[in-house]
Amino acid sequence: MNTILAIVPALNEVDNIGSVVQNLKSTAPWLDVLVIDDGSTDQTAEVARAHGAKVISLPVNLGIGGAVQTGFLYAVKNHYDVALQVDGDGQHRAAEIEKLIAPILSGEADVTIGSRFLVKTSYKSPWPRRFGIYFLSKTIQSVVRKRYTDPTSGFRAYNQKALRVVSMHYSTDYPEPDSIVTLVKNRLRVIEISVEMDARLSGSSSITPFKSGYYMFKVSLAIILNSMMSRIWRE
């Protein structure tokens, strides 16, 4: 029996986190759900606990990278076979989890990334964001010689080998594209799986149009610098 953990980073998601945890537990009752409360100033932690999730409340806001890496460290320490990353805003469908973890459990892949763009889906995004995703995809392809259509997706699954890498090395800010380079450089098999996603249940994304240009520049630079690093994990 494989042990599987869903890591849910959340910052001030009081309006969404209850539904996210409830959907995970009802759709995939075999999951353990861990919410990383990233310094929220609302009742995110309390609502998550009330719906049956384990909660780690960080004393300060670490950002998405620090929150998710906390979950990775927890998964490694507690010897989970597979860990999922699931956003706390309701964008990721619990019904797609089995599709995401299947290649991990079969030994086909070490990491799977849920992609909105591998094939045409119902997901709609504004053209500036689509352009940014395309640009980052091309940047990663130039480094690892493999195309990833949705490098910013935070809907992912990792096996134990991959967890040992990302628990040691994971960017604190906008980590998803950069982590693909880290994983591939450490000879891990990273594949994409087509999934359906939704718009966030409520609230707005932290990535504003102004931040998009900064995001693209910063992450591209991180990808290039990361490509020059030596491997972290060795057999």
Side-chain angles (χ1 to χ4, degrees), residues 111-150:
V111 180
T112 55
I113 301 172
S115 173
R116 296 160 286 189
F117 312 120
L118 189 63
V119 299
K120 186 175 177 58
T121 67
S122 61
Y123 185 83
K124 304 295 182 184
S125 62
W127 73 262
R129 181 167 294 188
R130 288 293 293 265
F131 173 76
I133 291 171
Y134 175 79
F135 180 85
L136 291 173
S137 175
K138 286 297 185 181
T139 303
I140 292 170
Q141 185 176 5
S142 71
V143 170
V144 302
R145 301 294 185 264
K146 184 175 179 180
R147 181 171 178 256
Y148 292 95
T149 62
D150 198 357

Side-chain angles (χ1 to χ4, degrees), residues 86-129:
V86 181
D87 283 355
D89 59 8
Q91 186 176 14
H92 300 154
R93 296 185 182 181
E96 299 284 60
I97 285 175
E98 289 198 41
K99 185 192 302 183
L100 199 64
I101 66 174
I104 305 286
L105 298 179
S106 68
E108 177 187 346
D110 300 303
V111 180
T112 55
I113 301 172
S115 173
R116 296 160 286 189
F117 312 120
L118 189 63
V119 299
K120 186 175 177 58
T121 67
S122 61
Y123 185 83
K124 304 295 182 184
S125 62
W127 73 262
R129 181 167 294 188

Side-chain angles (χ1 to χ4, degrees), residues 8-164:
V8 186
L11 172 63
N12 295 330
E13 292 287 2
V14 67
D15 293 331
N16 300 325
I17 197 65
S19 295
V20 170
V21 174
Q22 184 175 328
N23 287 339
L24 287 170
K25 286 190 161 290
S26 61
T27 305
W30 33 268
L31 277 177
D32 287 345
V33 180
L34 174 67
V35 172
I36 309 297
D37 169 29
D38 191 20
S40 296
T41 56
D42 61 13
Q43 303 302 306
T44 293
E46 289 81 354
V47 172
R49 288 193 185 94
H51 283 81
K54 300 176 183 178
V55 178
I56 295 177
S57 289
L58 302 177
V60 296
N61 174 250
L62 296 183
I64 183 64
V68 173
Q69 192 172 29
T70 299
F72 293 151
L73 289 166
Y74 180 94
V76 170
K77 181 178 181 180
N78 290 278
H79 309 291
Y80 280 93
D81 297 307
V82 180
L84 290 156
Q85 180 183 343
V86 181
D87 283 355
D89 59 8
Q91 186 176 14
H92 300 154
R93 296 185 182 181
E96 299 284 60
I97 285 175
E98 289 198 41
K99 185 192 302 183
L100 199 64
I101 66 174
I104 305 286
L105 298 179
S106 68
E108 177 187 346
D110 300 303
V111 180
T112 55
I113 301 172
S115 173
R116 296 160 286 189
F117 312 120
L118 189 63
V119 299
K120 186 175 177 58
T121 67
S122 61
Y123 185 83
K124 304 295 182 184
S125 62
W127 73 262
R129 181 167 294 188
R130 288 293 293 265
F131 173 76
I133 291 171
Y134 175 79
F135 180 85
L136 291 173
S137 175
K138 286 297 185 181
T139 303
I140 292 170
Q141 185 176 5
S142 71
V143 170
V144 302
R145 301 294 185 264
K146 184 175 179 180
R147 181 171 178 256
Y148 292 95
T149 62
D150 198 357
T152 66
S153 170
F155 193 27
R156 301 184 177 197
Y158 306 80
N159 66 10
Q160 287 185 338
K161 185 188 292 187
L163 284 168
R164 290 202 296 274

Side-chain angles (χ1 to χ4, degrees), residues 146-206:
K146 184 175 179 180
R147 181 171 178 256
Y148 292 95
T149 62
D150 198 357
T152 66
S153 170
F155 193 27
R156 301 184 177 197
Y158 306 80
N159 66 10
Q160 287 185 338
K161 185 188 292 187
L163 284 168
R164 290 202 296 274
V165 171
V166 290
S167 66
M168 293 171 61
H169 182 81
Y170 200 69
S171 298
T172 58
D173 198 14
Y174 310 130
E176 287 87 3
D178 183 39
S179 68
I180 294 174
V181 177
T182 300
L183 291 160
V184 173
K185 279 183 64 65
N186 282 274
R187 300 181 183 174
L188 294 168
R189 297 163 299 165
V190 182
I191 67 171
E192 288 188 308
I193 303 294
S194 178
V195 297
E196 290 281 353
M197 292 191 197
D198 300 311
R200 60 182 293 124
L201 290 175
S202 66
S204 58
S205 172
S206 62

